Amino acid sequence: MNIITPTIKKLLETWLNEDIGRGDLTQLALNDDIVNAYWTSKQAGIFCGGDLVKYLYQSLDTSVIITLLKSDGDTMRAGERIIELSGPIPSLLAGERTALNIAMHLSGIATATKKLVSQLEGTGILLADTRKTTPGLRPLEKYAARCGGGINHRLGLDDAAMLKENHIAWSNGIAQSIQALRKSIPWTTKIIVEAETIEQAKEAASEGADGVLLDEMAPSQLQTLVPDLRKIAKKAAKEIIIEASGIDPKQIQKYAYTGVDIISTSAPITQSTWIDLSMRFSEHLPNK
Amino acid sequence: MNIITPTIKKLLETWLNEDIGRGDLTQLALNDDIVNAYWTSKQAGIFCGGDLVKYLYQSLDTSVIITLLKSDGDTMRAGERIIELSGPIPSLLAGERTALNIAMHLSGIATATKKLVSQLEGTGILLADTRKTTPGLRPLEKYAARCGGGINHRLGLDDAAMLKENHIAWSNGIAQSIQALRKSIPWTTKIIVEAETIEQAKEAASEGADGVLLDEMAPSQLQTLVPDLRKIAKKAAKEIIIEASGIDPKQIQKYAYTGVDIISTSAPITQSTWIDLSMRFSEHLPNK
Amino acid sequence: MNIITPTIKKLLETWLNEDIGRGDLTQLALNDDIVNAYWTSKQAGIFCGGDLVKYLYQSLDTSVIITLLKSDGDTMRAGERIIELSGPIPSLLAGERTALNIAMHLSGIATATKKLVSQLEGTGILLADTRKTTPGLRPLEKYAARCGGGINHRLGLDDAAMLKENHIAWSNGIAQSIQALRKSIPWTTKIIVEAETIEQAKEAASEGADGVLLDEMAPSQLQTLVPDLRKIAKKAAKEIIIEASGIDPKQIQKYAYTGVDIISTSAPITQSTWIDLSMRFSEHLPNK
Amino acid sequence: MNIITPTIKKLLETWLNEDIGRGDLTQLALNDDIVNAYWTSKQAGIFCGGDLVKYLYQSLDTSVIITLLKSDGDTMRAGERIIELSGPIPSLLAGERTALNIAMHLSGIATATKKLVSQLEGTGILLADTRKTTPGLRPLEKYAARCGGGINHRLGLDDAAMLKENHIAWSNGIAQSIQALRKSIPWTTKIIVEAETIEQAKEAASEGADGVLLDEMAPSQLQTLVPDLRKIAKKAAKEIIIEASGIDPKQIQKYAYTGVDIISTSAPITQSTWIDLSMRFSEHLPNK
Amino acid sequence: MNIITPTIKKLLETWLNEDIGRGDLTQLALNDDIVNAYWTSKQAGIFCGGDLVKYLYQSLDTSVIITLLKSDGDTMRAGERIIELSGPIPSLLAGERTALNIAMHLSGIATATKKLVSQLEGTGILLADTRKTTPGLRPLEKYAARCGGGINHRLGLDDAAMLKENHIAWSNGIAQSIQALRKSIPWTTKIIVEAETIEQAKEAASEGADGVLLDEMAPSQLQTLVPDLRKIAKKAAKEIIIEASGIDPKQIQKYAYTGVDIISTSAPITQSTWIDLSMRFSEHLPNK
Amino acid sequence: MNIITPTIKKLLETWLNEDIGRGDLTQLALNDDIVNAYWTSKQAGIFCGGDLVKYLYQSLDTSVIITLLKSDGDTMRAGERIIELSGPIPSLLAGERTALNIAMHLSGIATATKKLVSQLEGTGILLADTRKTTPGLRPLEKYAARCGGGINHRLGLDDAAMLKENHIAWSNGIAQSIQALRKSIPWTTKIIVEAETIEQAKEAASEGADGVLLDEMAPSQLQTLVPDLRKIAKKAAKEIIIEASGIDPKQIQKYAYTGVDIISTSAPITQSTWIDLSMRFSEHLPNK
């Protein structure tokens, strides 16, 4: 899926503007020479943000030329070259900070996701993100999670009807809520229930929920609950997706053999740190 | 400084929209009762984001009432109540995720800043942030840094003229650049030089720079360089602000007695993780 | 679901502006008296747009008071009063055309939807809309369809992964596409296949599609295909939603006993006409 | 007049975004081949929307090439080719629905307008639209009316000062209102009076209105009133434009010999249905 | 006409933002006391901008209370109080500069307009502005011109069809252009011709132009041309508005007896200077 | 500094739209020929706005070709050619008024600035503007001031912390305010004090203000105060910038030998008038 949608284009222009403000004051001391530069990573990790950086620089100055040596999702070693650019010095410097900030942040998320995904390799369990995302960056942070090998949970409140703890508390119960939703939401949309207890999970399965989140349950609990839920769903002639959530990411391997389809965690987004990238200048081109 | 500027208002509405999208599907299963809720912290830390959460909820539904039990910058203990809210269930739930995401992210930054600031207590050295900020959130992340006891570096490329490594490389040298800038930038704006070498630092000081960044220098180097720079500046009848940058935050105390005015680091923003906050429901009010 | 989301608020302000432009020239001939007015329908039908009209007038002038005598989705008889308003004459007149245009257009859609829904009453088949909607009005036209008793199809290209005729033609086939999508789209999202042939429909069902659209098939074809698809899906331990599309709305009753879950049609949006509503003035209030 | 103004450009981007949302999920199953496609009409009618479709596709992907075989306002027969396109499959499919929706809606209006205009052929009477337009689409729906051979009424409340029924009721009478307006509106702007009675029409004419709307009057009434109004206007040394409004479009030919200059009706916009167009793929080009 | 349209509201918020930027830094030194302030004029003139100032302050802080002692268009003497305000100090100061800039600029235009209008008093000739307006401020500058007793020329290129020198040069002549326009522009819109020569003026009148601009003609020329044009128009049973343009404002009285209806000049907008207003603080209220 | 920032681009598109509105009605009478045109100045002065005009025309129609014969800041004689353009007639005419308005307004400011700057030539005193700028045009008016040889004062309330008369009145005094600000504003930001009295000026200097504005002081007062302030600052090991403000521009030469660094005045922006430029057509190119 092409990440450069109209919404993302507008976002990138806003971000550029956030840094440039009323204009880059220091440009006044610079000449207009065309130079070559490159990006390099100071750490190993998963790269993310190349297409965004390319669009950002081109919206700043169409004469900047960018070659991506790594695609989003590629592994990068410490010291490796990632991007090569050439263009007028004032343009390269005016976009530098914003471009690096985007790629450093997103590469941090892709890298943290990859680490957890690796621990689930071979188990058939997918790693999903959550709606705990930095405000304004959700589509991009979820893209970074995909680049790290993860799968996305719903993108917003409009993307699936999910009965969470508080919804259940304030509605007329799981069964009635599922029936009410079935009649009012788009038929193309799934209904998912977050269960705090075994009883809630079983009710969700027997009422035909498309998915169930088992929140903060121990591996031992899951080992008996998961097959029970599959049986209940089968009886209702439904396939049910079972997700374990609220798990300490350090304990993730203990959940690898619980039979769940998906483990969701906000950690790659809320507990990750940036990957250190930097831009360096190589050689001087004759001014155009 | 009131953080709720017109720009921030628009940002908060955009963020709410990012989560709500075409509408909160699960609302269809909820009644409209007015309920009481509160926010609590699962970790100790510095709270940040209260005014933003208040504005966000009020732009969603003016009938939501919010009482901030903690002000931005206050210390919170694990388990402590931070905010009390009451309002219609659908509104409380529609704003929940976005509001928590904002406060969790900003409190993470404020808390990380505070930890470093504490290590400099009594030294007179201020801790400053950098322009390494999450795109779209700079004014708020810098606000969080202030709430954690830090001081802000420049807010954007238009906020001070700063000659960085690459500017010096591609300009006609420090002296000539300072003179050129002095004639072209607003007189109310400072000129700052990032020095990679002792010679650059001294040239900046003798040419009347308002500040100098000493990048990746060892404490021992600084101990002789800092007094030298002060002497050079005094000779030029100028006060110079001296900042140490590019420092491993774990080594920060080694820089406490180098005589610099400011230590800058991106770590509280790029290397921090979110503080875990959650919203709980307390009691049910009679529906209005 | 509350229809007045932040996006819709902005839309209503844009629409008001479209009519007012650089200002209502005729206001210069009016006094500022507070008057009572009401809306009445010239035709029977289903009303839709009341909350929108209310928000629109309040964004124009907070002193306008509106009482909705009909809720969205209510039946209205010819001549019946629908809304009562009072406020300054210039404000009532400045918002009149835009407010009426919204409600007349949406009531037309709700009414046309209701007519088709009535023909399916008792069959258990739901009537769904399509993505053939007037550009810029999709969320509201889909809301009107719900007010008329319909159910929504997906809201946009991001709302479910749907393999349509052209996707199948240009992809590597249904089976491989479903597998590829399963790994890349949010797990909370359904995969739906539009089948032009019986073979495509069966492949979709056996590969675990969440739904299948049977396009332009005759009732007789459906009567054998639908039970076949259910058997195939059951074998794959999946529930499948079966939709008939591309149907002449005049023939809809012939599809009532084909066993499909849903009939989709764009007709209530693309083939409907506006319901005629008008605003009249009743009595004069003493000027405030 | 070039329809692609800056306002329309922004609108088209918003519309594209409405459908694409957070990204076209199904693209993940498609390859990037360049293909040829074409648009065809399933019905006879007047085509409208070609330039809009062209701009829309180019704002989505500059590599899409579009050839318009029909200009806006051209007649199209059922089955005729209208547009030829080539470009990457994901781009052609991502813009398909929005582009078709625009052209189908506008062609419906142009076609309905043309039908009424044909009935007035040879009479010298012009057919005008009204301000009953779908919110957000007024400039385009009025453009479609022009493509169908109609003429536009005022574009908004700022485009001419028009005293309607309610304005007259709440002002100080027609004469005084015209005098007040004459002094306050731009001199380049016309003053028009909507008359419910013969007396109002005559007062408007003698006070120098630039135009008069005769609302819901029978052909026989008009046959005596129209020449009277022309005489009154001539006496005042003024030309007056006389419009008949509030007419059942089925009765339009009865008004052909009443001597009015213009007949206005909202029917081509509020009572028309979409023309059915579709996009088909022809041949496969070697991928670039 | 209420000047606070949705477009103007957005404009005022943009302007406030232009000054406040990332936040008013000096607020940090202020307390939150509620104080009384007032505006006073240092010069005599016509006041303009009161409603704008009121809306601006209320969009900044709803607790600010504003009393307008002068309405827009009122005469003010040097030293007179114009506005009284009370509110929290930081809010009063944050809006001060923007609010004053608006009113000083607009009052300058209103005052300059009034001076010219006074010179035409008793002649029946109206003074009109032009499209020479500061970009972004046209609706407000034209409002200021009205407050000074002027009348507006067309508001934009879409507001009347005006054949100017260059249009005539590049079209098929005046007669053919008027006929072409008559069929394509809204019937509610006037057609106006800018004539550089007597021949052009006469052609315009005989072809039924609604108005004619006589550009840079001497009073003596006008004295014979104006009655000629009226005769030609009368023969065509048309009223024609005759405007003199391109006049040195110092010579305006020489044109008072030429029989033209309107004299247009850009001088009150392009040649005026700001009226000096200032905000002063009176007394201190107990903090709320 | 490149003036065409993302913010300015958006502004130019808004301005174009302000004039074009719902479309240029008169275009309907024009053919599409490509023609040559040029701009000429009717007055001597300093040109400003060339890059803006170039961007504006290209955002309107990419086929318009513009050659700037004068750069911003160049001197132009009466009658001199400034710009050459070629492009389709409808595009040249649609952008004409907006483009001219921008350049005429900004050239007026640049010219007025230059006149004052010339009077300070050789004195070493710089001429600064103020925050009295036309709302919405500040970055461009300040750019015009730079083109006229001036230097900019702060760009907004966020650009330096400036204690003005009212701030001092409502804060805890100059000393305490400076200390409070020092801890809370970005360290890269200057603190400036506006002094109404000699005592205030001296307090500011001794407390380490980066700059002091001496408001409405006579040349004789300044001659003794300026050296005093320099001494006080030197004692505090600070350089202080001294600015004279509130000066009648006609008296500016009397301040030339007072030793101040800067004289600030709003006159080139608030008291200037437009420079008269016009567009003329030269020759006809064969239509493309």
Side-chain angles (χ1 to χ4, degrees), chain C residues 19 22 131 138 157-158, chain D residues 19 22 131 138 157-158:
Chain C
D19 196 36
R22 301 176 179 105
R131 275 167 53 243
R138 181 171 294 163
L157 292 168
D158 59 340
Chain D
D19 196 35
R22 300 174 180 105
R131 274 170 52 245
R138 182 171 293 164
L157 292 166
D158 60 339

Side-chain angles (χ1 to χ4, degrees), chain D residues 75-117:
Chain D
T75 301
M76 54 187 177
R77 295 186 310 277
E80 227 181 339
R81 281 201 183 194
I82 306 162
I83 292 178
E84 288 176 351
L85 330 75
S86 73
I89 298 170
S91 298
L92 292 194
L93 292 180
E96 178 186 11
R97 188 70 269 141
T98 306
L100 282 167
N101 286 352
I102 293 169
M104 289 166 75
H105 179 67
L106 296 183
S107 298
I109 291 169
T111 303
T113 304
K114 189 67 162 196
K115 271 184 204 151
L116 290 178
V117 166

Side-chain angles (χ1 to χ4, degrees), chain A residues 145-175:
Chain A
R146 288 201 304 277
C147 289
I151 191 166
N152 295 144
H153 215 285
R154 63 179 178 156
L155 304 174
L157 292 166
D158 59 340
D159 197 38
M162 185 162 156
L163 292 163
K164 303 189 63 162
E165 183 180 7
N166 289 325
H167 291 92
I168 296 169
W170 299 114
S171 72
N172 294 315
I174 293 173

Side-chain angles (χ1 to χ4, degrees), chain C residues 139-152:
Chain C
L140 296 182
E141 292 186 338
K142 286 192 167 259
Y143 169 72
R146 289 200 304 276
C147 289
I151 191 166
N152 294 144

Side-chain angles (χ1 to χ4, degrees), chain B residues 116-126 256-257:
Chain B
L116 289 179
V117 166
S118 309
Q119 297 185 43
L120 295 173
E121 218 172 79
T123 66
I125 298 177
L126 300 172
Y257 300 100

Side-chain angles (χ1 to χ4, degrees), chain B residues 31-50:
Chain B
N31 59 48
D32 270 354
D33 285 1
I34 306 293
V35 296
N36 280 339
Y38 61 92
W39 280 28
T40 188
S41 176
K42 299 187 186 169
Q43 298 170 252
I46 302 298
F47 179 61
C48 183

Side-chain angles (χ1 to χ4, degrees), chain A residues 15 18-19 22-23 25-26 29 31 97 101 131 133 136 138 157-158 162 166 170-171 270-271 273-274 281, chain B residues 18-19 22-23 25-26 29 31 97 101 131 133 135-136 138 157-158 162 166 170 270-271 273-274 281:
Chain A
W15 290 350
E18 179 188 55
D19 195 36
R22 300 173 179 106
L25 290 178
T26 321
N31 59 49
R97 187 71 269 141
N101 286 352
R131 275 169 53 245
T133 57
R138 183 172 294 165
L157 292 166
D158 59 340
M162 185 162 156
N166 289 325
W170 299 114
S171 72
T270 66
Q271 307 298 318
T273 58
W274 294 23
F281 287 83
Chain B
E18 179 188 57
D19 196 36
R22 300 176 179 104
L25 290 177
T26 322
N31 59 48
R97 187 72 267 140
N101 286 351
R131 274 167 55 243
T133 57
R138 182 172 294 164
L157 291 168
D158 60 340
M162 184 160 154
N166 290 324
W170 299 114
T270 66
Q271 307 298 318
T273 59
W274 293 23
F281 288 83

